[in-house]
């Protein structure tokens, strides 16, 4: 979001109070937010609130200051309208320019994200549905409202979508769509291997790196399937999320979805062993030491590498505490992967629970250590590398055919 210019339209709905929090979040992420309010919106939240939160004057008067709508529109990288009422949706669908927000959108060439919020019958009315269809036709992106209890007390569809969903859609509008057409399969998180009804074997993986890969790929236009072990993270919006628990469940889910994928990323920290026999009763404490018998889990990445279809790109991770590069290269060859992302599990700002990471990207003929970055920035760099590998492969294919 850093330095992105967001024209934030607010309409007259009780959900306008939520927009105040969103403006604040955007400003904290470094975006330059310019709020334009409809006259009705100013009845719910004052322009002063939005000015204070965005650090820029909030506008609502079409005739107040010269050619304000042209200046605001020309500068915007994206337009976000939230909450978008039936009235403003109708205005925009008909190309009206009778208030500052409608005029600004009409004069704007930047992508537009619309987040409807209204009573469920107003939303379901054919007039609103037709207006939304027209806006989609004009290239606007609509974030579908949620279902639940509405401000009027009724239950139905019409609640303003959650910020996480809207933020992802906005980041998608701002990102280059260089992964459009790619079908990406990502595994994330740890696996849990049950020992008895009370206990399991697992590891410290938080899933943050895999989830960052999933979100960034989706933003860049890829279709994403995320197979996730048990984590404390919310499922990212707008993708197929498949929860699993054990390594065997993960292996089964991966084999079901891998064939369709153009890129597979095994970011999960798969438990190498499971209990040789699950005890249906709780294992009781005795005076003697306990020896657990463990059975080896299948190596999911190695299985993918041994029978992958041509053209598929295979990316693995290597969680290491020593001999990082040598171990990464050994795993690259042993598992027949195209890229291994090595990370240090001992560093406090890298590896398991951290929000940052410092990784080395190892391919057959290169090795590159990235700087310390957020996990989302690291994910973007991994995708950049993956796209380069795909391009190189396409170039070699074209050469061979020539
Ligand atoms: N992996 C897998 N299935 C397993 C174990 C690992 O698919 N049963 C994948 C991981 O998702 C990762 C890569 O293999 O992409 C390397 O995982 P890592 O735990 O670093 O290495 P291991 O092969 O398990 O070897 P070791 O634990 O001895 O380092």
């Amino acid at each position: 979001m850093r330095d992105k210019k967001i024209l934030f339209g607010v309409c007259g709905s009780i959900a306008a109070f939520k927009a105040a929090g969103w403006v604040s979040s955007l400003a904290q992420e470094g975006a330059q937010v310019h709020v334009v309010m409809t006259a009705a919106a100013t009845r719910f939240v004052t322009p002063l609130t939005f000015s204070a939160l965005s650090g820029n004057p909030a506008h609502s008067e079409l005739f107040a200051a010269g050619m304000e709508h042209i200046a605001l529109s020309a500068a915007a990288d994206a337009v976000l309208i939230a909450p978008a009422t039936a009235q403003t949706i109708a205005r925009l669908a008909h190309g009206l320019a009778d208030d500052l927000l409608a005029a600004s959108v009409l004069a704007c060439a930047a992508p537009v994200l619309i987040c409807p919020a209204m009573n469920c019958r107003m939303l379901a009315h054919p007039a609103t549905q037709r207006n939304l269809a027209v806006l989609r036709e004009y290239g606007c992106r609509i974030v579908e409202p949620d279902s639940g209890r509405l401000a009027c007390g009724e239950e139905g569809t019409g609640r303003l979508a959650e910020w996480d969903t809207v933020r992802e859609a906005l980041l998608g509008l701002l990102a280059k769509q260089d992964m459009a057409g790619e079908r990406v399969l990502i595994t994330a998180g740890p696996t849990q291997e049950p020992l008895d009804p009370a206990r399991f074997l697992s590891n410290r993986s938080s899933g943050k790196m895999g989830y960052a890969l999933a979100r960034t790929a989706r933003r860049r236009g890829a279709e994403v399937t995320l197979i996730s072990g048990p984590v404390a993270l919310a499922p990212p919006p707008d993708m197929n999320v498949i929860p699993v628990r054990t390594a065997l469940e993960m292996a089964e889910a991966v084999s079901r979805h891998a064939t369709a994928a153009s890129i597979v990323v095994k970011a999960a920290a798969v438990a190498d062993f499971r209990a040789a026999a699950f005890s249906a009763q709780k294992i009781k404490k005795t005076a003697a030491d306990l020896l657990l018998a463990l059975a080896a889990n299948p190596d999911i990445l190695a299985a993918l590498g041994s029978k992958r279809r041509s053209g598929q790109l295979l990316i693995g991770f290597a969680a290491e505490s020593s001999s990082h590069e040598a171990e990464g290269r050994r795993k690259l060859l042993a598992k027949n992967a195209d890229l291994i992302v090595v990370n240090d599990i001992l560093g406090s700002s890298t590896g398991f629970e951290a929000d940052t990471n410092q990784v080395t990207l190892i391919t057959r003929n290169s090795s590159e250590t990235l700087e310390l970055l957020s996990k989302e920035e690291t994910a973007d760099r991994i995708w950049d590398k993956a796209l380069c590998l795909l391009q190189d492969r396409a170039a070699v294919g074209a050469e061979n055919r020539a």
Side-chain angles (χ1 to χ4, degrees), residues 198-199 301:
R199 307 176 178 99
L301 180 60

Side-chain angles (χ1 to χ4, degrees), residues 1-9 22-23 25-27 29-36 54 56-57 72-73 75-82 108 110-111 113 163 166-167 170-171 173-174:
M1 297 289 187
R2 183 150 300 285
D3 294 331
K4 293 287 187 243
K5 297 184 186 68
I6 311 293
L7 197 164
F8 197 129
W22 297 6
V23 167
S25 297
L26 285 170
E29 284 196 59
Q32 296 176 28
V33 189
H34 294 271
V35 175
V36 174
S54 67
N56 292 308
L72 286 172
S73 309
D77 292 307
V79 177
L80 168 60
I81 306 179
C108 188
L113 189 65
W163 174 232
V166 176
R167 179 177 174 274
L170 184 60
L171 285 166
L173 283 193
L174 294 166

Side-chain angles (χ1 to χ4, degrees), residues 226-284:
L226 174 63
I227 298 174
S228 174
V231 294
L233 304 171
D238 207 18
M239 64 183 70
N240 181 18
V241 183
I242 302 169
V244 294
R245 186 175 181 208
T246 64
L248 290 179
E249 284 172 22
M250 185 172 280
E252 196 273 325
V254 167
S255 78
R256 251 186 303 127
H257 289 88
T259 329
S262 55
I263 308 177
V264 181
V265 187
K266 287 281 303 116
V270 185
D272 289 328
F273 299 96
R274 65 181 182 278
F278 173 74
S279 168
Q281 302 301 323
K282 189 177 169 206
I283 300 167
K284 284 293 176 182

Side-chain angles (χ1 to χ4, degrees), residues 365-384:
N365 46 27
S366 70
S367 166
E368 183 191 356
T369 299
L370 305 183
E371 54 275 35
L372 183 70
L373 298 167
S374 73
K375 283 192 171 165
E376 288 204 348
E377 287 166 316
T378 304
D380 264 323
R381 298 283 286 274
I382 294 169
W383 293 128
D384 291 344

Side-chain angles (χ1 to χ4, degrees), residues 53 59 87 98 108-109 147 173 175 198 214 232 236 263 268 292 294 314 346 360:
L53 291 171
H59 303 277
Q87 169 68 21
D98 59 345
C108 188
S147 298
L173 283 193
I263 308 177
L292 279 175
L294 300 179
L314 202 53
L346 295 185
T360 302

Side-chain angles (χ1 to χ4, degrees), residues 187 247 250 265-273 297-304 315-320 327 330-331 335 340-341:
T187 68
M250 185 172 280
V265 187
K266 287 281 303 116
V270 185
D272 289 328
F273 299 96
N297 274 327
D299 191 313
I300 306 170
L301 180 60
L304 286 172
I315 303 175
F317 272 68
E320 304 300 343
E327 273 301 282
R330 181 181 70 74
K331 289 175 187 175
K335 303 188 189 217
I340 289 282
V341 181

